[in-house]
Amino acid sequence: MELILITVAFIAGFLALKCQLPPLVGFLLAGFILHHFGFESTDTITTLADLGVTLLLFTIGLKLDIKTLLSKEIWVGATIHNLLSTLLFAVLLLGLKILGVSSLATLDIEQLILLGFALSFSSTVFAVKTLQEKGEMNATYGTLAIGILVMQDIFAVIFLTASTGKFPEWYAIGLFALPLLRPIMFKLLNKAGHGEMLVLSGIFFALVMGAGLFELVGMKPDLGALILGMLLASHSKASELSKSLFNLKELFLVCFFLNIGLADQPTIEGFVLGALLLLLLPLKGILYFVVINAFKFRVRTCLLTTLTLFNFSEFGLIVGGLAYKLGWISGDILVALAIAVSLSFIISAPLNRIGHSIYLRSAKWLKEQAAEKINTRDQFINPGEAQVLILGMGRIGTGAYDELYQRYGKVSLGVEVREEAAKQHREEGRNVIAGDATDPDFWERILDTAHVKLVLLAMPHHQGNQTALDLLHQKQFKGQIAAIAAYPDQLDELEQMGVNAAFNIYSEAGSGFARHVCDQLQPNLK
């Protein structure tokens, strides 16, 4: 059974990829098709799906700055949006009921509010996968979107606890001692090395210390995984740990999206109501834009955050499933929720893919904030008179910066999307600023390329480097451009796009190693 499910998911995901859609869209459609032919989810698929979500939240926590979560634009913005959208959706659903939509005829006002509450959430799984594929998890709009989603997860825990009447055990207070265990957890990570024990350590922290402990005391396991990730976020191996779990998490999430499609049998009534619920999606997006804009973020940040959150959430299915079990809603409502969630993913995927283009076309119609009033997290940057611009200050970018410094002195400026990393570089003596190189405003309104002779595209994600390269061409940059890539086909793409030099990071690492050995050891070879 599992082999058939995975085979169909693979074929559908591959076809979606060829249609320039995220594979997850194919996985959702595969689930619906399989369910139509009588297939159902299995315990194995469900278990793997749950593991995928747990590992996803754990890796989110590894990258989450608690100071970001506590900022007012996150917790106040998420709360305001949740309340406004719930009330607005409930009123509109009441209007549909009055107009005679049969599926809503038996629902009272409390049930309509519950349905509106379920539709107010956006998908954490979808948003994180979209941001990761674009390499923009650490962009300003990416961190803003993730922060809002984490707050929504907290709202979810509160709702699930209240609706089931199940409260945490009295000894759940012991979870407040988890921060005291951080030194021990840090030592374990230090001793874990870089291989399979590091992966196993991540699984242990996520599933046992996080999800397991929280479930033991009567709390949501996924929240435990998120909190454990946040506790480990400041460790030097946090990024490496997240990368080591990446492929495992991605594999399990295939089962998650497949499970959504397998959950219910689509019906005509369900499709009709699902399509009607989809009409609420633009209103949800407008509310996101208005709320975020109220905190003085730039139009681009507001728009891209809105597009990232422009979907319904799999949490809506959890709420609907619970309500169905309690007898609050009918099966048609649950089917409609599943269809609306799935269709919202299909709509949101291509919109996120062309998000930057949408911004460039719509920016002239949207009123920008005055420069002096822009939120401090979204301020413009000044590159000064640098001759070399290094975009992406990870290990490769840092190595390039240090090599250029030894050869030419202080001619380089590093651009790093993460403020914390940029600050660390400055403390180490490097000239690095925080900025998003995939941001059109970075090039159109900030960067003066008159002094720049060379740009190094050293960001870890190919799409991010491609986006920056496109923006450089739009700026009519006249200097030289070099870029990194991980695969031969990516090298070909970069060269076709006009870079002066493209380097395979793996082969170049080998060449650099050989040069270093020859310089240091000067072996007597013939």
Side-chain angles (χ1 to χ4, degrees), residues 218-288:
M219 297 185 68
K220 196 168 183 278
D222 294 343
L223 180 65
L226 176 70
I227 290 177
L228 255 292
M230 293 169 62
L231 290 175
L232 297 173
S234 60
H235 192 277
S236 59
K237 280 189 176 180
S239 178
E240 182 183 356
L241 178 59
S242 177
K243 292 176 182 177
S244 70
L245 294 171
F246 180 81
N247 289 331
L248 196 62
K249 173 196 67 179
E250 294 290 288
L251 178 62
F252 291 161
L253 286 177
V254 172
C255 299
F256 172 81
F257 288 108
L258 188 61
N259 240 4
I260 291 180
L262 289 167
D264 296 284
Q265 176 65 48
T267 62
I268 295 178
E269 293 80 4
F271 270 113
V272 171
L273 183 56
L276 290 174
L277 294 179
L278 205 61
L279 297 177
L280 301 177
L281 197 56
L283 296 176
K284 182 178 185 177
I286 291 172
L287 282 176
Y288 271 126

Side-chain angles (χ1 to χ4, degrees), residues 53-367:
V53 175
T54 300
L55 289 178
L56 173 70
L57 291 173
F58 178 68
T59 54
I60 290 174
L62 288 173
K63 298 180 179 180
L64 192 64
D65 183 359
I66 188 64
K67 292 183 293 185
T68 300
L69 190 62
L70 293 177
S71 59
K72 63 180 181 181
E73 54 263 27
I74 297 296
W75 71 270
V76 174
T79 303
I80 291 175
H81 181 273
N82 188 263
L83 290 174
L84 290 179
S85 57
T86 298
L87 292 175
L88 177 61
F89 292 168
V91 170
L92 292 176
L93 290 170
L94 178 60
L96 291 176
K97 175 183 176 180
I98 294 173
L99 290 175
V101 176
S102 59
S103 299
L104 302 175
T106 60
L107 300 185
D108 58 27
I109 188 63
E110 289 83 4
Q111 292 167 318
L112 293 175
I113 291 175
L114 172 63
L115 188 55
F117 178 72
L119 294 169
S120 70
F121 288 79
S122 297
S123 173
T124 302
V125 176
F126 180 90
V128 172
K129 281 186 63 66
T130 300
L131 291 169
Q132 286 178 337
E133 288 172 0
K134 295 194 296 183
E136 297 179 0
M137 277 288 291
N138 294 314
T140 301
Y141 86 90
T143 57
L144 188 59
I146 293 301
I148 291 173
L149 289 167
V150 170
M151 287 302 304
Q152 291 183 354
D153 284 339
I154 294 174
F155 298 154
V157 174
I158 296 173
F159 168 80
L160 291 174
T161 300
S163 60
T164 58
K166 180 182 178 182
F167 291 90
E169 305 292 344
W170 64 268
Y171 43 82
I173 194 172
L175 295 176
F176 286 102
L178 280 176
L180 301 178
L181 299 178
R182 277 212 308 175
I184 299 176
M185 292 189 284
F186 278 25
K187 288 182 179 179
L188 289 175
L189 278 181
N190 288 333
K191 300 291 185 181
H194 304 279
E196 64 273 12
M197 281 307 301
L198 182 63
V199 178
L200 190 57
S201 297
I203 294 175
F204 171 77
F205 288 130
L207 302 184
V208 179
M209 293 200 65
L213 281 179
F214 273 64
E215 187 173 25
L216 187 64
V217 300
M219 297 185 68
K220 196 168 183 278
D222 294 343
L223 180 65
L226 176 70
I227 290 177
L228 255 292
M230 293 169 62
L231 290 175
L232 297 173
S234 60
H235 192 277
S236 59
K237 280 189 176 180
S239 178
E240 182 183 356
L241 178 59
S242 177
K243 292 176 182 177
S244 70
L245 294 171
F246 180 81
N247 289 331
L248 196 62
K249 173 196 67 179
E250 294 290 288
L251 178 62
F252 291 161
L253 286 177
V254 172
C255 299
F256 172 81
F257 288 108
L258 188 61
N259 240 4
I260 291 180
L262 289 167
D264 296 284
Q265 176 65 48
T267 62
I268 295 178
E269 293 80 4
F271 270 113
V272 171
L273 183 56
L276 290 174
L277 294 179
L278 205 61
L279 297 177
L280 301 177
L281 197 56
L283 296 176
K284 182 178 185 177
I286 291 172
L287 282 176
Y288 271 126
F289 187 93
V290 171
V291 170
I292 297 168
N293 187 256
F295 289 97
K296 307 300 181 183
F297 283 95
R298 288 178 296 138
V299 165
R300 175 186 180 274
T301 300
C302 298
L303 182 60
L304 293 183
T305 305
T306 297
L307 290 177
T308 303
L309 302 173
F310 192 73
N311 49 65
F312 295 128
S313 173
E314 59 281 351
F315 173 68
L317 300 180
I318 299 175
V319 172
L322 178 62
Y324 179 73
K325 289 180 181 178
L326 296 175
W328 295 347
I329 61 174
S330 65
D332 284 343
I333 300 295
L334 185 59
V335 170
L337 276 174
I339 293 171
V341 170
S342 302
L343 291 177
S344 74
F345 289 170
I346 295 174
I347 291 173
S348 186
L351 289 179
N352 276 275
R353 187 179 181 85
I354 60 172
H356 295 288
S357 298
I358 293 175
Y359 163 69
L360 291 174
R361 294 183 180 183
S362 61
K364 60 183 178 181
W365 306 106
L366 300 171
K367 184 179 179 181

Side-chain angles (χ1 to χ4, degrees), residues 52 148 461 495:
I148 291 173
H461 294 276
E495 290 171 352

Side-chain angles (χ1 to χ4, degrees), residues 366-420:
L366 300 171
K367 184 179 179 181
E368 184 61 271
Q369 301 282 353
E372 66 276 7
K373 294 182 179 180
I374 291 177
N375 190 293
T376 54
R377 292 179 57 191
D378 210 20
Q379 288 285 348
F380 296 136
I381 59 177
N382 181 9
E385 299 183 355
Q387 297 180 57
V388 180
L389 200 61
I390 303 175
L391 308 180
M393 288 297 290
R395 284 176 291 184
I396 295 175
T398 301
Y401 183 101
D402 293 342
E403 178 68 21
L404 290 170
Y405 178 79
Q406 292 179 8
R407 289 174 179 264
Y408 304 105
K410 296 182 178 181
V411 298
S412 301
L413 172 66
V415 179
E416 170 57 47
V417 71
R418 296 170 298 167
E419 176 61 48
E420 305 79 20

